[in-house]
Amino acid sequence: MATDGRRLHCLVTGASGYIGGRLVPELLQEGHSVRCLARSPGKLRDHPWASHAETVRGDVTDPESLASAMRGIDVAYYLVHALGSGSRFEDTDRAAARTFAEQARAAGVRRIVYLGGLTPRDVPEESLSPHLRSRAEVGEIFLDSPVPATVLRAAVVIGSGSASFEMLRYLTERLPVMVTPSWVHTRTQPIGVRDVLRYLVGSATMPDDVDRAFDIGGPDVLTYRDMMLRYAAVAGLPRRFIVPVPVLTPRLSSHWVGLVTPVPASLARPLTESLRHEVVCREHDIARYVPDTPGRPLPFDEALTLALRRVREAQVSTRWSSASVPGAPSDPLPTDPDWAGGSLYEDERQRPVEASRAALWRVVEGIGGDNGWYSSPLAWAVRGWLDRFAGGVGLRRGRRDTERLRVGDSLDFWRVEEIEPGRLLRLRAEMRLPGLAWLEMYAETDERGRTRYRQRALFHPRGLLGHAYWWSVAPFHSVVFGGMARNIARAASEGTGGRRSTSRIRPARRRRSLREQRPEPAPPHQE
């Protein structure tokens, strides 16, 4: 129950994202009721907390859906932003925040809670990156509204699956010697995700007369170079050698980060731009309302240790890729292949499987990430590199969980659109394409009671370029899709695929370092 005995009705926007997906269970644990606002409510259905929270369809830019979602709400959490949605994302952020504030006032909401970015002191607004400038403006909009607001401002968030942690992790693990931009010497104040969630939950019960921003950070002030060296020490890596140079601009840095890490350049750029200026907390007034306890906020090394343990144990509840990639197609698969939308190309394949449906399903649900795609490694690698070259996500997002999938999960350059356990896995492409694409995998029983694997690749072209794309890649389908069907059926029959398998037919992949392999189970913990 809430610490002051009040059971509050909370609205959480961005529940499919990294922070929102972790905040919901924390609020529920405190005894509050939670309503989630989502453009695609189905993406939340497989979360462990889904049956305990209400989910409504809506969008922060739509006043009507917001008005409905805010009825009876005490505290409204705003955890969304339009970053990457186009060159006018600041306009979108501004309009959405104003709409949210207006509807909160009309609905009688008692408090708005917003998580923004920590801004540097004594730096003119026009000198800030568009990302930081927009975050700051959204916070000001909420503080200027009649509804009391709590605006939390954080710099680098350290937690398993966070974009900042993934960027730090992969840069440090993959590059023993680094030629880095000058921003590696900029000081920042990282904070563990556990403390971010603690402050977000505590903000719900702040007194009604509190209407202000709070800087939140951990106890350590570090440069990015310090963070990489300390990550290497915590992870048991040899000492890293870091050579800064002044020639890497934020744009060049983002492409460098996108090349080495799973974080695409479109997301890496605002992260690196935010590191140009020193961002250190100017106060710690949040402790008046959310008191610190011994060991809290977490020191940087401890936050790293907990995050690494989560990764090694495959217990990452949300990732930076939990939210849809900006600009990625979100249209659901048409239920009628001949729907009024034009051509729908299809490649369908079936294979008998000398194993149970359960064995086949283990292979299907374990596809992607380190397990690969049971097809030509070269073809998939080339497609992934082409996608990254075009500004897409490529193959490096991997999987959130090594064993299980849920609706909304990112899976390399796909996203799980539908999953019927034991029967169907439908993936929607988030790679750069001149059209919309899906991949369906079925574990079925034929008319004679035998297990059958069925696979469908579907493509809805966009214009002449889309048609040309399909026919240009069609000759390779027998290698890519045909090989996939054969190898999945074979892996299931031999019992060599799926979860923690060591199948010969999986595509070659990089050898995981000792730091990434799963150790013996550790005692229960909280990140």
Side-chain angles (χ1 to χ4, degrees), residues 137-406:
E137 183 181 12
V138 168
E140 290 300 321
I141 289 171
F142 291 142
L143 292 174
D144 289 342
S145 77
V147 180
T150 300
V151 174
L152 303 179
R153 301 186 296 206
V156 176
V157 176
I158 299 298
S160 59
S162 76
S164 297
F165 173 75
E166 294 280 279
M167 191 170 94
L168 175 66
R169 173 189 171 205
Y170 280 89
L171 285 175
T172 309
E173 291 205 351
R174 291 182 172 176
L175 300 175
V177 179
M178 287 174 267
V179 177
T180 60
S182 58
W183 49 253
V184 297
H185 288 306
T186 303
R187 297 199 315 158
T188 188
Q189 193 163 351
I191 182 171
V193 67
R194 175 57 44 187
D195 288 308
V196 173
L197 295 171
R198 183 169 62 90
Y199 292 139
L200 284 168
V201 172
S203 296
T205 53
M206 283 186 175
D208 293 342
D209 61 350
V210 176
D211 184 20
R212 56 163 291 185
F214 296 92
D215 293 352
I216 59 173
D220 301 294
V221 176
L222 305 164
T223 66
Y224 206 85
R225 180 181 183 276
D226 294 333
M227 289 193 285
M228 288 190 284
L229 293 176
R230 290 173 74 161
Y231 178 96
V234 168
L237 298 167
R239 180 178 175 83
R240 271 31 193 165
F241 296 93
I242 301 169
V243 182
V245 295
V247 295
L248 288 178
T249 66
R251 179 185 292 274
L252 289 174
S253 296
S254 67
H255 288 293
W256 168 63
V257 171
L259 182 68
V260 176
T261 80
V263 181
S266 58
L267 180 56
R269 185 172 182 184
L271 294 176
T272 55
E273 283 181 332
S274 300
L275 292 167
R276 287 186 302 169
H277 303 292
E278 179 175 290
V279 279
V280 176
C281 296
R282 284 160 282 191
E283 40 82 12
H284 188 55
D285 296 347
I286 187 72
R288 299 178 191 171
Y289 307 99
V290 188
D292 293 334
T293 55
R296 292 293 182 90
L298 288 172
F300 178 74
D301 287 2
E302 188 171 344
L304 277 183
T305 300
L306 292 176
L308 277 169
R309 189 183 301 169
R310 286 281 193 178
V311 170
R312 291 168 178 169
E313 295 175 359
Q315 295 294 321
V316 180
S317 57
T318 61
R319 298 180 66 211
W320 60 269
S321 57
S322 297
S324 296
V325 174
S330 57
D331 305 52
L333 176 70
T335 55
D336 179 3
D338 298 318
W339 95 108
S343 303
L344 184 66
Y345 293 113
E346 180 176 351
D347 180 285
E348 182 167 0
R349 298 172 190 270
Q350 300 183 24
R351 303 285 300 187
V353 178
E354 298 298 325
S356 66
R357 282 181 57 181
L360 173 58
W361 180 251
R362 281 195 295 272
V363 179
V364 170
E365 193 177 10
I367 201 166
D370 279 344
N371 284 338
W373 290 90
Y374 295 89
S375 186
S376 166
L378 179 60
W380 282 92
V382 169
R383 187 63 186 87
W385 278 107
L386 288 175
D387 190 55
R388 290 181 76 84
F389 182 77
V393 295
L395 285 172
R396 288 186 176 167
R397 291 190 303 184
R399 297 172 56 105
R400 176 192 58 84
D401 187 290
T402 57
E403 298 184 2
R404 285 170 288 276
L405 293 174
R406 65 190 185 201

